[in-house]
Amino acid sequence: MNEIEVIWKFFDNLDEYVYATDIETDELVYMNRKLLEVYGLQSIDDVKGMKCYEVLQKSSVPCGMCNNDRLCAGKFVEWRYYNPVIDKYMMLKDTLVEDPVTNKKYRIEISIDISEERSQDKMIQKYRDMESFVNEALKDALSVESPDETIRIILEYLGKVLNGERTYIFEKNRDGRDDNTYEWTAPGVMPEIDNLQNLPPEICENWYHIFEEGEYIQIPDIEEMRLSDPFQYENLKRQKIHSIVAMPIYDAEKVIAFYGVDNPPAFSLEYTSDMLQIMGSFLKSCIRRRNLMRCLEDLSYKDALTQLGNRFAMEKYVRQINPEQSVGVVYCDVTGLKGVNDTLGHKAGDDLILRAGACLEQVFGDYGVFRIGGDELLVLCAQIDQDTLAERIRQLECLTAEKDVNIAVGVIWQDRADTHLDELLQEAEKRMYEDKAEYYKKTGIERRGADKKG
């Protein structure tokens, strides 16, 4: 065995990747066992006569990064390179050896696989980026006063940094069903929030069982759940979701909501899950603050009995009316309330007011509905046309008859809301009293009280 063969024999069982080429021709003359294995070769004879770049880089031209001109015997040139053919990051050590018999020179390259080290470096950098992201997101989110806006900012940040198509929050409603309450979508992605209201409990039932066990949802391919969770599968499939991460939001160890990311890249699901877990506590705080503000707003702007808007809510609604747009005013009085209170008690009277308010809410719920006095209810309709208002009044008449509620109604419509509101209210109230008088005239019921109330 000559000296060069001894060198090849030494490299043969090394745990590094080793090859040698003729420095003049670039022909491969040696590959050790580990390198042969990674390229799926049995022996060097399989590639006899081929250039190193043809085998190792699957290229028809010499490598642009070749460093043959820098090599010399007895010294190593060290560098790093990602080989896309075998998908590995390598630390390379190159040198020249000379065959003392033939005086031929050979390039020897020893490659050490540093893919895992590189992966760890990338993961460390990713988590550093995560810390930076969280700080930036929280800074922007906390700069706004509204918790709703804070939540939307967080969802937008999450969607962008996680390369998702949609980020969102789902919460249970009063009926025990699920509502999509917040949503961010990437450019070109259709919003789904309007299609995801009042979802039947069975759709998310399995997910809640998982959340209650302290776990979360991480699905790289929803086809995995086609048989095990058919209701949720169909729900996700309809939205063109193929991968998903969803995380519960807890308060006092109870699941109060869940939020997630649709179609994040498959390779980053773990990172996505980590990011969602970090932001969960902050979103819980936002939801708490939002609920507190809503409670305070309800106390300030809602009538305690009917939960309709009160006078403060009415004033707020009026401030938002565009004076150049049309407006409709519906002034209502619950007729017979005093008689019900006197004969059946105030609880029965309250029930009558509640039924009247419910009728108005059902017909005019997309406008402003208010209780402005004991038996007086008011509807303000910004930007409504006259025909629509007339049709709503007809619906109200049918509904109150069905619910056994008598109300006197005064209606006024204007194509512009620039008239002072007090004047419109006075005219609507006047028409309401005329309607009330007509009611008593038709029924023959004796009216009580000099102020014609009841």
Side-chain angles (χ1 to χ4, degrees), residues 185-327:
T185 59
V189 176
M190 290 295 293
E192 289 285 348
I193 190 167
D194 291 340
N195 304 321
L196 296 170
Q197 301 301 311
N198 207 36
L199 294 183
E202 59 267 22
I203 290 181
C204 298
E205 182 178 8
N206 286 344
W207 283 16
Y208 279 106
H209 289 321
I210 293 171
F211 295 152
E212 287 163 5
E213 295 296 323
E215 302 294 332
Y216 58 87
I217 304 299
Q218 181 177 299
I219 303 174
D221 182 357
I222 69 162
E223 294 301 322
E224 298 174 3
M225 58 185 288
R226 184 169 61 88
L227 298 178
S228 62
D229 196 353
F231 293 115
Q232 186 66 280
Y233 171 79
E234 291 298 332
N235 177 49
L236 301 180
K237 191 76 172 176
R238 179 193 61 76
Q239 301 173 59
K240 297 181 174 60
I241 296 170
H242 52 76
S243 63
I244 191 170
V245 177
M247 195 72 56
I249 299 176
Y250 299 97
D251 194 359
E253 300 183 357
K254 180 182 178 183
V255 180
I256 61 168
F258 69 86
Y259 72 114
V261 182
D262 288 347
N263 299 334
F267 66 84
S268 66
L269 291 186
E270 290 294 338
Y271 175 69
T272 298
S273 300
D274 290 342
M275 184 69 80
L276 293 185
Q277 287 188 58
I278 288 174
M279 299 305 294
S281 295
F282 183 73
L283 285 173
K284 177 186 74 174
S285 175
C286 290
I287 291 173
R288 273 182 171 178
R289 187 160 66 96
R290 179 207 65 188
N291 291 345
L292 175 60
M293 291 183 68
R294 286 181 180 178
C295 182
L296 294 174
E297 186 171 341
D298 285 350
L299 292 174
S300 301
Y301 290 101
K302 287 191 177 180
D303 173 63
L305 174 64
T306 63
Q307 295 301 296
L308 300 176
N310 59 17
R311 284 186 175 272
F312 295 116
M314 182 191 75
E315 292 169 2
K316 181 179 178 181
Y317 186 91
V318 168
R319 289 195 295 270
Q320 297 170 352
I321 295 176
N322 184 344
E324 297 182 0
Q325 299 283 349
S326 61
V327 64

Side-chain angles (χ1 to χ4, degrees), residues 310-311 313-319 321 326-331 360 364-370 372 377-384 389 412 421 424-425 428:
N310 59 17
R311 284 186 175 272
M314 182 191 75
E315 292 169 2
K316 181 179 178 181
Y317 186 91
V318 168
R319 289 195 295 270
I321 295 176
S326 61
V327 64
V329 179
V330 183
Y331 204 117
L360 286 172
F364 290 101
D366 48 342
Y367 294 103
V369 184
F370 312 96
I372 57 173
L377 306 172
L378 179 70
V379 179
L380 296 177
C381 304
Q383 299 183 36
I384 190 172
L389 180 60
I412 188 169
L421 183 65
L424 293 179
L425 290 179

Side-chain angles (χ1 to χ4, degrees), residues 6 18 43 46 77 131 157 186 276 295 313 438:
V6 171
V18 184
S43 74
D46 292 344
V77 174
E131 181 181 0
Y157 264 94
L276 293 185
C295 182
E438 185 66 23

Side-chain angles (χ1 to χ4, degrees), residues 332-337 375-376 407-410 429-443 445 447-448 451-454:
C332 304
D333 181 278
V334 183
T335 59
L337 178 63
D375 54 3
E376 293 180 340
I407 58 174
V409 179
E429 183 180 22
K430 176 185 174 185
R431 296 182 184 185
M432 179 273 292
Y433 278 122
E434 291 172 354
D435 184 55
K436 189 173 184 177
E438 185 66 23
Y439 165 78
Y440 282 118
K441 181 179 179 181
K442 286 181 179 179
T443 59
I445 298 174
R447 302 178 65 186
R448 301 186 181 186
D451 61 353
K452 301 181 182 180
K453 295 272 184 179

Side-chain angles (χ1 to χ4, degrees), residues 4 7 48 50 83 91 111 133-134 161 263 278 324 329-330 346 361 384 391 402 416 439 451:
I4 201 70
I7 294 174
K48 188 174 182 179
M50 295 182 69
N83 187 327
M91 182 172 69
S111 304
F133 156 78
V134 170
V161 79
N263 299 334
I278 288 174
E324 297 182 0
V329 179
V330 183
H346 285 279
E361 184 69 24
I384 190 172
E391 175 57 29
E402 177 187 328
R416 289 172 58 92
Y439 165 78
D451 61 353

